[in-house]
Amino acid sequence: MKLTRRNYLALSAAALTGAAACRSPAVAETADYPTTPSMLPDRNSFSLGSVVYLNGGSQHPISKQAHQSVAAYLQHRETHPVPDPYSLNSDGVIEKFAKLVNADPDEITFVQSTTAGEQMIVKSLDLPKTGAKVVTDTLHFFGSFPLYGELEKSGCEVTWVQPRDGRISLEDMDKAITPGTRLVSLSLVSTFNGFEHDLKAVCDLAHSRGALVYADIIHAAGCVPVNLHASGVDFACCASYKWLMGDFGLGFLYVRRGAIGELKRTNYGYYGISEFATHMYPLDAPGDGLVDYAFSDDAAGWFALGTHSHTTIAMLDASLDYIQEIGVEAIQAHAETLTIRLKEGLASQGFELATPPETRTPIVTAIYADAYKKLNDKMKAAGIVTTVSRNRFRPTVSVFNTTDDIEAFLEAVGKA
């Protein structure tokens, strides 16, 4: 039986009642949570209390629906009742994510993290390779900078496109992506300032010159519309603990079906095997070798390794339903009403914005010398959770945020 968020409510009620002695009070309290609302903001689905949480772009709070789904999984792991009606919906989660980003399920596989997926792609493109050319930009995820720095040291030619006014221009990408470029690597939405690439335009340009494109979509999936097929991107990856409302240790890697022929196999994971027969154990059929095996010719066959986080899959089973039911367009529209006010308010209070004014992502970044020293204690005193770095701060909004949250933040920040 596939566990959906809807049939979970009926299923878990019986399971939790029958095992009351085994459950914790925290699990028991999840039984009457409301179903997904159709209007935003939605605070009822999250246990934020009085906290002003403007940090979904760092790690998103777990919803009550996801908590319920994990509780059902943990109940199953604790007791294994016989007959056990529970079934972890792993394939269903892949299908839900594929639908969210407009891809085919066989083009998606689980990976540990965005960084793991990006490095898998780079290695499978036979990089580093002396003389190979890579193009990236400095609004890409800063955690990827060492990867491309090491490629440079190993003989690759790496071109770093710099932003102008907080944007990576297509004109500058045009100059950088020359014939012979092997890979263009970027973040669809920048973790630094929320700038969003025109991914289709970049892919069209790159493909016209024989290059492949990798996109980090961790700051896009779940909060802005993503259409992987329409963009033409070859590879994309994201973890699930941000706007997908999952947790650490699990994400998704997309590999365009037509790009598989460009890859060199560098992963040999059990979860990618399509055929397997041993010839070494008692009663095995005879064979020419010790084992016969084959890998499936899809994303899993090329990049799936071993076990992955079942608790996060359980969370995502509920969270992806939640996102789909609200609709990414509605999530983006709600966020935009809040970020417009953030940008206007911060500018009027004298802050220098790193985020372009037209950006429609849920990230707003301001440059502020000694921001951590000046603001960290202020945020704590005001009950505000957000990202404050050494010389910048970055409030990020989500489905539960209200205009009151924005006004509280602006008041706490004060004048520049």
Side-chain angles (χ1 to χ4, degrees):
M1 177 180 177
K2 181 184 288 187
L3 181 74
T4 67
R5 191 176 58 80
R6 289 187 177 87
N7 67 31
Y8 164 76
L9 294 175
L11 183 63
S12 64
L16 292 175
T17 299
C22 300
R23 69 185 177 185
S24 68
V27 173
E29 290 168 4
T30 67
D32 296 321
Y33 287 151
T35 57
T36 302
S38 59
M39 300 296 290
L40 299 177
D42 168 27
R43 293 189 69 84
N44 290 332
S45 292
F46 300 87
S47 301
L48 294 171
S50 61
V51 170
V52 175
Y53 196 88
L54 294 167
N55 211 28
S58 179
Q59 56 187 57
H60 201 284
I62 294 168
S63 70
K64 295 174 182 177
Q65 292 91 327
H67 185 129
Q68 286 182 322
S69 190
V70 172
Y73 169 73
L74 293 177
Q75 180 77 28
H76 156 75
R77 291 282 285 120
E78 288 172 359
T79 62
H80 285 280
V82 180
D84 187 353
Y86 186 88
S87 176
L88 185 71
N89 193 19
S90 299
D91 290 344
V93 167
I94 292 284
E95 291 168 4
K96 291 173 186 181
F97 179 75
K99 181 178 179 181
L100 183 72
V101 297
N102 191 30
D104 294 331
D106 66 349
E107 295 176 303
I108 306 287
T109 190
F110 291 122
V111 289
Q112 178 194 5
S113 66
T114 316
T115 297
E118 184 172 10
Q119 298 213 14
M120 284 178 166
I121 293 299
V122 166
K123 290 177 182 177
S124 294
L125 289 172
D126 202 20
L127 298 173
K129 189 173 185 178
T130 301
K133 182 171 181 181
V134 176
V135 173
T136 188
D137 66 66
T138 57
L139 291 184
H140 191 22
F141 175 46
F142 51 80
S144 295
F145 293 170
L147 168 61
Y148 297 105
E150 289 300 308
L151 291 187
E152 282 187 294
K153 292 178 184 179
S154 300
C156 288
E157 178 186 348
V158 180
T159 298
W160 299 82
V161 180
Q162 302 284 340
R164 292 188 281 172
D165 298 322
R167 307 167 183 86
I168 301 296
S169 75
L170 193 62
E171 177 185 357
D172 289 343
M173 294 296 281
D174 186 16
K175 293 176 183 176
I177 304 171
T178 55
T181 300
R182 179 65 169 148
L183 177 68
V184 177
S185 183
L186 53 82
S187 290
L188 175 53
V189 173
S190 173
T191 185
F192 172 73
N193 70 346
F195 166 77
E196 183 176 5
H197 276 279
D198 181 340
L199 186 56
K200 184 178 188 310
V202 173
C203 290
D204 288 347
L205 177 61
H207 291 162
S208 72
R209 291 165 192 180
L212 298 168
V213 180
Y214 165 84
D216 174 337
I217 60 171
I218 195 171
H219 287 286
C223 62
V224 300
V226 176
N227 190 327
L228 296 180
H229 279 172
S231 73
V233 72
D234 301 289
F235 317 105
C237 193
C238 66
S240 67
Y241 60 89
K242 299 195 180 189
W243 282 280
L244 292 178
M245 308 181 195
D247 202 5
F248 297 96
L250 188 73
F252 302 94
L253 176 64
Y254 164 80
V255 182
R256 183 175 62 83
R257 189 176 295 105
I260 286 178
E262 301 284 342
L263 301 176
K264 174 183 176 181
R265 184 175 293 282
T266 57
N267 301 285
Y268 306 94
Y270 177 77
Y271 275 43
I273 292 173
S274 59
E275 299 176 21
F276 190 79
T278 60
H279 308 294
M280 65 186 81
Y281 300 130
L283 306 183
D284 277 353
D288 294 332
L290 293 177
V291 61
D292 297 328
Y293 63 89
F295 294 98
S296 57
D297 196 27
D298 56 14
W302 282 81
F303 294 102
L305 294 176
T307 54
H308 32 252
S309 171
H310 284 194
T311 52
T312 306
I313 290 173
M315 284 184 198
L316 289 167
D317 197 23
S319 295
L320 292 173
D321 281 345
Y322 177 89
I323 293 166
Q324 290 281 17
E325 288 179 22
I326 294 175
V328 175
E329 292 79 5
I331 291 172
Q332 182 183 40
H334 170 69
E336 194 172 7
T337 63
L338 303 178
T339 56
I340 287 172
R341 173 60 186 139
L342 267 173
K343 293 170 191 173
E344 291 174 346
L346 290 171
S348 70
Q349 290 170 208
F351 291 97
E352 175 191 353
L353 292 181
T355 301
E358 74 280 3
T359 299
R360 301 189 63 209
T361 63
I363 297 172
V364 177
T365 300
I367 306 302
Y368 191 38
D370 296 322
Y372 190 85
K373 291 180 181 178
K374 295 174 181 176
L375 295 179
N376 193 53
D377 289 343
K378 280 187 177 182
M379 294 296 106
K380 289 181 179 179
I384 297 171
V385 177
T386 193
T387 296
V388 183
S389 303
R390 185 174 60 179
N391 293 311
R392 64 183 184 270
F393 57 90
R394 189 195 67 172
T396 53
V397 301
S398 192
V399 294
F400 46 77
N401 287 121
T402 67
T403 54
D404 287 344
D405 291 343
I406 304 307
E407 297 308 320
F409 176 79
L410 292 172
E411 181 179 354
V413 168
K415 299 286 186 180

